[in-house]
Amino acid sequence: VLAAIPLAPCAVTAALALSSGGAETATTLLPAGALAVVSYAATAVLVPPTAKMMLKRGMYGKDLAQRHTERRDVPVPEAMGLPAVVVWLFCVIGSQLLYVYDMTQILYLNTSTLSVCLMLLLGFMDDVFALRWLLKITTPVAAALPLLLSYQGSTALYIPPLLRPLLWSGDGLTPLGSLLDIIVVVDEKAEGAVVELGWLFLVYCLLLVIFCASAINIYAGINGLEAGQSYVLACSVLAFKLYEMYLGYTGTSQLFAVTMIAPFCGCSLALLTYNWYPARVFVGDTWTTSAGVVLAVVGIHGHLSKTLLLLMLPQVLNFVYSLPQLFHVVPCPRHRLPYTNEHGLMEPSTFPCGRHEYRLLKAHPDDERCPNLTLLCLVLRLTGPLRQRTLCTVLLAIQCATSVLVFALRYGVFEP
């Protein structure tokens, strides 16, 4: 039932796009929808036997959030994002045999899948060898190169009408517009409606790939959250692109985005059914890094890179809130996930500290333990102890609410 909530806007916007579009729209959406169903079914079939193989090879972990319960010693297969990503790759390749014939689209699809394959390799290596964080942050640079070298789209930034007075007044550029014009090019003929970023846009895309590759991995720790947030984000991106098709935009970016993200929705949903509490599999970094890059390549080649960053606002907030620990300004334990108390409720995890230390971060200034700086712990501090299933539902509800807010802002305020 909960899985139907993110999927409902996709169904509505798909129906609108089909009703307003012609045969070209149908030849794109119907095969993409079929691939989504195939990806769900194939992932659901492949996960159980792959899980058994992982258990035989010793690739399993324990649910650290359950270390105070009877489930603490139950082995759970690791790196189970592997079959899901492989299914997605075959679906994208299959799309080129079924309905994608444009050479530019094929170039985008192949370079994007190459980037995802590189991150799939990195994620699986991390699950096996526990790579250092420095390597996990720098490797996405190499994965982004095929994506950036093949990019042929615009590097301009469209300024919404609501914000144009910040750059343009009736007789010319404002002081802010003039200052910005030193670094980039503010189009005076368009009266501040277009800002040409040039090479800075490619730098932004590189940073977006690096962020997306790590954002889902950082915002994790409880059953269902990694696969769940990937599913919600994928459905949100798909709904945005379908709505654009309904509005009459049926260019290459829409075809590319729908082809890439529709089967990803199916893979994410199938994986979520196994990863939901109590988890029968762990998705591992194999999934989190690959899923992040899938979203990044869809955002970049699908001309949705700025909107994607807004959709990932919970991930951005979690990253910013975690910065003091990530850069070791504040002590950072290896595991910062919430713990389950004797009543089966999750509470914020903490690290030891002196009474005089980190007083602003504590619930009470004289405490000798400080909560870890993650969005999961922050939500638990605001709501009080919750069951793991409830906590995951709350966090995914925040993700869904963010998508609704971004949709309302983009189409109700910035582009009425």
Side-chain angles (χ1 to χ4, degrees):
V1 176
L2 292 175
I5 296 175
L7 198 59
C10 299
V12 172
T13 50
L16 291 173
L18 286 170
S19 64
S20 63
E24 183 179 356
T25 301
T27 55
T28 298
L29 294 189
L30 295 180
L35 285 177
V37 175
V38 169
S39 66
Y40 173 84
T43 303
V45 168
L46 288 176
V47 166
T50 308
K52 292 180 180 179
M53 292 174 59
M54 292 297 185
L55 287 174
K56 290 180 180 179
R57 299 296 185 272
M59 284 283 292
Y60 60 84
K62 305 292 178 64
D63 193 342
L64 296 178
Q66 303 291 335
R67 57 184 176 267
H68 300 301
T69 71
E70 67 278 0
R71 290 185 54 82
R72 61 183 178 274
D73 294 324
V74 176
V76 182
E78 277 276 13
M80 291 309 299
L82 181 62
V85 179
V86 170
V87 166
W88 174 83
L89 287 170
F90 274 99
C91 286
V92 174
I93 294 171
S95 69
Q96 299 177 45
L97 300 175
L98 295 174
Y99 64 97
V100 179
Y101 305 112
D102 181 77
M103 292 308 298
T104 301
Q105 287 296 317
I106 292 175
L107 172 66
Y108 283 171
L109 290 172
N110 289 335
T111 54
S112 298
T113 52
L114 176 58
S115 295
V116 175
C117 283
L118 290 172
M119 294 311 300
L120 174 64
L121 176 62
L122 172 70
F124 188 71
M125 289 177 61
D126 187 34
D127 285 330
V128 176
F129 301 115
L131 303 177
R132 298 177 66 88
W133 263 103
L134 181 61
L135 183 61
K136 290 193 286 186
I137 293 176
T138 54
T139 304
V141 176
L145 289 179
L147 176 68
L148 299 180
L149 291 174
S150 65
Y151 184 75
Q152 300 176 7
S154 172
T155 57
L157 177 65
Y158 174 78
I159 306 300
L162 191 66
L163 300 180
R164 290 176 197 169
L166 297 175
L167 304 179
W168 182 266
S169 61
D171 52 354
L173 294 175
T174 64
L176 177 60
S178 300
L179 179 63
L180 194 62
D181 196 48
I182 299 174
I183 306 172
V184 295
V185 178
V186 180
D187 192 342
E188 297 188 31
K189 293 182 180 180
E191 298 183 349
V194 178
V195 175
E196 177 56 56
L197 299 178
W199 62 272
L200 286 177
F201 179 78
L202 298 180
V203 173
Y204 165 76
C205 291
L206 175 62
L207 296 176
L208 181 65
V209 172
I210 295 173
F211 170 75
C212 290
S214 300
I216 295 177
N217 188 34
I218 296 173
Y219 186 45
I222 60 174
N223 296 170
L225 184 56
E226 296 99 320
Q229 63 183 293
S230 304
Y231 173 64
V232 173
L233 285 168
C235 288
S236 301
V237 170
L238 181 59
F240 266 84
K241 279 303 172 182
L242 291 173
Y243 189 72
E244 286 183 359
M245 296 178 74
Y246 164 67
L247 295 178
Y249 301 101
T250 56
T252 56
S253 68
Q254 283 73 27
L255 173 63
F256 169 82
V258 171
T259 300
M260 292 281 284
I261 209 67
F264 186 73
C265 290
C267 294
S268 301
L269 179 57
L271 192 59
L272 177 60
T273 59
Y274 291 99
N275 186 234
W276 190 252
Y277 180 87
R280 289 172 281 172
V281 301
F282 289 150
V283 299
D285 291 348
T286 304
W287 173 259
T288 57
T289 55
S290 302
V293 174
V294 169
L295 293 169
V297 298
V298 172
I300 293 169
H301 279 322
H303 300 169
L304 201 73
S305 56
K306 284 80 68 178
T307 302
L308 175 64
L309 198 60
L310 293 176
L311 291 172
M312 298 185 73
L313 185 59
Q315 287 75 16
V316 173
L317 292 176
N318 181 69
F319 174 73
V320 173
Y321 187 51
S322 299
L323 281 177
Q325 286 191 309
L326 296 178
F327 287 97
H328 296 283
V329 178
V330 173
C332 184
R334 177 172 175 78
H335 299 292
R336 301 185 297 159
L337 64 160
Y339 72 94
T340 304
N341 62 24
E342 63 274 12
H343 302 293
L345 302 176
M346 302 206 80
E347 295 187 17
S349 57
T350 59
F351 61 87
C353 62
R355 290 188 177 182
H356 63 285
E357 295 180 305
Y358 318 119
R359 297 173 69 90
L360 294 177
L361 303 177
K362 302 176 187 176
H364 304 95
D366 294 330
D367 287 348
E368 294 185 353
R369 300 194 67 87
C370 181
N372 282 307
L373 305 182
T374 67
L375 192 58
L376 284 76
C377 292
L378 179 61
V379 168
L380 287 172
R381 291 178 66 181
L382 296 174
T383 62
L386 297 173
R387 296 194 179 278
Q388 186 170 172
R389 190 198 308 266
T390 305
L391 175 60
C392 186
T393 303
V394 170
L395 294 172
L396 295 182
I398 293 173
Q399 193 79 57
C400 291
T402 301
S403 298
V404 173
L405 177 62
V406 172
F407 188 91
L409 286 175
R410 175 167 178 176
Y411 294 110
V413 178
F414 293 135
E415 298 181 23

